[in-house]
Amino acid sequence: MNKSIEKVFSRPPQFGMVGDGFRVYNYIPGQYNLQRRLSPFLMLDFNPAYDFGKSEHQRGVDVHPHKGFETVTIAYKGSVAHHDSAGNSGVIYPGDVQWMTAGSGILHKEYHEQEFACNGGPFEMVQLWVNLPAKDKGAQPGYQSLTAADIAKVQLPDEAGIVNVIAGSFNGAKGPARTFTDVNLFDIKLNAGGKLSTALPAAHNTAALVIEGEVNINGTTAAEHSFTLFRNEGEDIAIEAAKNSVVLLMSGMPIDEPIASYGPFVMNTQQEIVEAIQDFQSGKFGTLA
């Protein structure tokens, strides 16, 4: 049975700046307040291809805290550098993914990589926040650097395209990301006329973001930068590309727990938010210059 489509959302009307290096449109929670509807996905920011120009200054976001969830950054164009208070650092290039577990609390900063900043060029990325269940919100902070070479790849029949399996399982191929709950995250690249068929659990909250191009999903047109929300019924998904296209397909088992959020902290109660702020202010997240 096909996974039926609840709604196709067009790109939000207005972008926002995150620091001075990320020009993003927010889809989750967005204007339709999709945070609980799309649990475990708390936030999705998309920076469509944009040339910030050459700069001696590395644009980005300075040191800031997180607690209670994970951040997933997917680079499509350009490159992003990262440092955190757990001692992790690195650069993600096009095709790479950075999966950071904030857990019990971490400081980090992210910004355009130096050479990219100096040369300029198109910058395109997605950042997704994935919730942690209550039992894991105190997990030790962690960092997974998933290079393009690490990510499982599925070549589709008839030269239709390729699926990069970041997390979960696509038609038997397993992604390298370690997750606390059941999550699927697929970076799909389809050639014009290319077709894809897969199945995702009916119970999963499921959505697809069209990064580039235009596709037909289970009989419904999804234009460039649109966001397709599926109902929690049926399993089968068929995607056909009207032109060369890139689609980010995600699904996850809902976390049926209260959500209390305040800026960079996502917990289960307001008291836990107060405690998170106190932990940050008292230096328990470590230090980062």
Side-chain angles (χ1 to χ4, degrees):
M1 178 181 173
N2 282 347
K3 186 177 284 291
S4 61
I5 292 173
E6 181 172 323
K7 187 175 177 66
V8 178
F9 299 93
S10 57
R11 190 175 78 179
Q14 182 62 45
F15 70 86
M17 293 299 298
V18 179
D20 63 356
F22 304 95
R23 183 180 183 273
V24 303
Y25 293 86
N26 177 254
Y27 290 76
I28 305 172
Q31 59 185 322
Y32 298 101
N33 197 24
L34 294 173
Q35 188 175 78
R36 180 161 291 282
R37 172 64 184 85
L38 274 169
S39 173
F41 307 114
L42 297 164
M43 190 206 74
L44 190 155
D45 276 348
F46 172 43
N47 186 137
Y50 181 79
D51 192 336
F52 286 88
K54 298 179 181 180
S55 175
E56 294 182 4
H57 161 66
Q58 290 174 264
R59 299 180 176 92
V61 184
D62 208 350
V63 179
H64 59 283
H66 287 303
K67 182 175 182 177
F69 61 98
E70 301 186 288
T71 67
V72 181
T73 305
I74 305 168
Y76 288 93
K77 296 173 182 173
S79 50
V80 181
H82 158 92
H83 283 81
D84 67 39
S85 57
N88 301 299
S89 64
V91 177
I92 55 171
Y93 297 98
D96 296 345
V97 176
Q98 173 199 98
W99 197 296
M100 186 185 78
T101 302
S104 62
I106 198 168
L107 305 177
H108 83 144
K109 57 182 179 179
E110 48 201 337
Y111 44 91
H112 297 185
E113 181 270 332
Q114 186 171 16
E115 185 175 349
F116 172 74
C118 289
N119 293 330
F123 183 81
E124 186 174 58
M125 58 81 70
V126 165
Q127 186 166 93
L128 187 65
W129 289 9
V130 182
N131 201 8
L132 291 171
K135 67 182 181 62
D136 295 313
K137 286 189 178 291
Q140 182 176 347
Y143 179 76
Q144 300 175 69
S145 177
L146 308 174
T147 68
D150 296 328
I151 294 170
K153 295 171 177 58
V154 177
Q155 295 285 346
L156 298 171
D158 304 318
E159 298 183 350
I162 189 170
V163 178
N164 297 306
V165 187
I166 300 167
S169 178
F170 176 88
N171 295 0
K174 293 184 178 181
R178 301 182 303 275
T179 64
F180 286 81
T181 57
D182 193 5
V183 171
N184 294 295
L185 190 59
F186 310 142
D187 169 35
I188 300 166
K189 294 175 170 61
L190 290 174
N191 299 318
K195 299 179 181 180
L196 169 153
S197 295
T198 192
L200 292 170
H204 276 205
N205 288 334
T206 304
L209 172 66
V210 181
I211 304 291
E212 296 177 16
E214 179 182 305
V215 296
N216 182 291
I217 304 176
N218 284 358
T220 298
T221 298
E224 186 169 76
H225 301 172
S226 66
F227 187 71
T228 299
L229 174 64
F230 295 85
R231 293 189 179 93
N232 295 80
E233 55 188 31
E235 297 183 342
D236 298 330
I237 296 176
I239 303 176
E240 182 173 358
K243 57 182 76 171
N244 291 347
S245 299
V246 179
V247 178
L248 183 64
L249 179 61
M250 66 195 77
S251 84
M253 182 61 69
I255 298 173
D256 187 19
E257 296 174 351
I259 295 174
S261 60
Y262 179 78
F265 309 121
V266 182
M267 305 302 292
N268 299 108
T269 68
Q270 287 301 317
Q271 179 56 38
E272 289 173 336
I273 292 293
V274 171
E275 291 168 0
I277 294 170
Q278 292 172 341
D279 287 348
F280 164 58
Q281 292 175 337
S282 65
K284 289 185 178 179
F285 292 2
T287 59
L288 184 63

